[in-house]
Amino acid sequence: MPQSFVPSLLTVDDPAAVAVETAKGVAPFLLLCDHAGQAIPQRLGDLGLPPGEIDRHIGWDIGALNVSRHLSRQLDTTLIHQRYSRLVIDCNRTPGIASSIPQVSELTPIPGNVGIQAEQTLAREHEIFLPYHRTIADTLDARQRAGLPTAIIAMHSFTPVFKGNARPWQVGLLFNRQPEFALLLAELLREEGDLDVGVNEPYAMTDATDYTLPVHAERRQLPYVGIEIRQDLIADQQGQQDWAKRFARLLPQAWYRWQI
């Protein structure tokens, strides 16, 4: 369907899909937060969700944005984040696959995602997904033109328990075809002496389950890592600040080791 026929989704009262903070950051990193927000466009109501469901992990990555903001300020590095709930459209999934606009998340039905028309799907893609990823691509293009080196850091969080199974890791580092930078950071985290570090745990990165890093990092042959922090550790301001300080200290060390 031609783009001119795609109906409008966002109104003037809805927030912009994408935000950029510390736009002129000089550190050799680009922070991305795919699941930072939990907004739902006004035209979609509450997606038919029971009260409180949007506040759970199914709606967003709890704590990830605040950690990213602290880290952005401490490192003086650009942060790009997305304001809408992953239940509207998941900006870390390839459009068109089942998990892009899920009808069920974990065990929770999402009535507002059932039976939607193709043009409604395209509206979510055109007004939320594409602006976010265009902003990332444009930022990387500008950094390349300016001769600025870049490692992409994708910030996420995960639940301490998933479908009854406890997750022992405090932090997990994800990668697909280019493991080098992630493994250097894993080594540094283990040297801290107080962490159970997951390597491609609690998730493994694949083209089927991830979009942002395979597209923006791997296609450009840039160093990268997906960082997953357990949500109970970053549910409050102190935890968010502590983890940001830790990564503000370790990411430059990983960058230095990666260069030598």
Side-chain angles (χ1 to χ4, degrees):
M1 178 176 293
Q3 185 170 349
S4 59
F5 288 96
V6 175
S8 177
L9 173 63
L10 302 181
T11 71
V12 294
D13 296 321
D14 286 312
V18 58
V20 180
E21 302 186 18
T22 319
K24 298 186 182 299
V26 298
F29 306 108
L30 176 62
L31 295 174
L32 305 177
C33 201
D34 300 330
H35 304 140
Q38 57 183 146
I40 301 175
Q42 292 186 16
R43 289 189 169 122
L44 300 183
D46 58 8
L47 290 175
L49 292 168
E53 286 295 292
I54 197 67
D55 298 322
R56 296 177 49 232
H57 178 73
I58 64 170
W60 62 326
D61 274 358
I62 296 167
L65 177 58
N66 284 341
V67 174
S68 300
R69 281 174 162 160
H70 289 308
L71 188 54
S72 173
R73 290 191 288 266
Q74 291 174 38
L75 285 178
D76 189 23
T77 192
T78 301
L79 164 64
I80 302 174
H81 62 90
Q82 198 280 119
R83 290 191 169 109
Y84 286 90
S85 171
R86 54 159 46 96
L87 298 180
V88 177
I89 187 167
D90 193 324
C91 284
N92 193 33
R93 298 291 185 274
T94 301
I97 68 172
S99 58
S100 170
I101 300 177
Q103 297 184 18
V104 177
S105 184
E106 295 182 10
L107 301 176
T108 301
I110 317 298
N113 290 347
V114 176
I116 63 175
Q117 301 299 309
E119 60 267 23
Q120 295 170 312
T121 297
L122 284 175
R124 300 188 194 191
E125 180 182 342
H126 289 169
E127 296 185 44
I128 297 174
F129 181 93
L130 289 178
Y132 176 63
H133 287 288
R134 284 184 188 129
T135 301
I136 296 171
D138 289 347
T139 300
L140 289 169
D141 288 344
R143 291 182 67 87
Q144 184 177 18
R145 288 194 299 270
L148 298 175
T150 304
I152 301 182
I153 315 298
M155 302 295 293
H156 295 265
S157 67
F158 66 95
T159 57
V161 178
F162 181 70
K163 295 184 178 179
N165 296 315
R167 290 160 154 176
W169 314 279
Q170 292 92 354
V171 61
L173 302 181
L174 311 188
F175 56 85
N176 190 4
R177 299 174 186 86
Q178 297 167 213
E180 295 82 7
F181 189 81
L183 293 178
L184 286 171
L185 185 59
E187 180 181 341
L188 288 164
L189 284 164
R190 289 187 176 119
E191 289 173 3
E192 300 279 278
D194 62 344
L195 297 175
D196 189 342
V197 181
V199 174
N200 272 341
E201 296 284 1
Y203 312 107
M205 183 183 297
T206 69
D207 290 337
T209 58
D210 292 81
Y211 181 92
T212 299
L213 290 174
V215 168
H216 295 293
E218 292 192 331
R219 290 183 185 177
R220 294 174 184 255
Q221 295 292 301
L222 295 174
Y224 72 88
V225 62
I227 295 176
E228 295 271 358
I229 307 172
R230 208 173 67 204
Q231 287 174 358
D232 58 311
L233 303 176
I234 54 172
D236 60 24
Q237 185 176 9
Q238 188 62 56
Q240 293 158 5
Q241 292 174 345
D242 289 346
W243 276 91
K245 288 178 182 177
R246 191 191 295 259
F247 280 113
R249 176 167 46 82
L250 296 182
L251 280 170
Q253 294 180 42
W255 175 255
Y256 173 76
R257 293 189 184 186
W258 182 80
Q259 290 182 297
I260 62 176

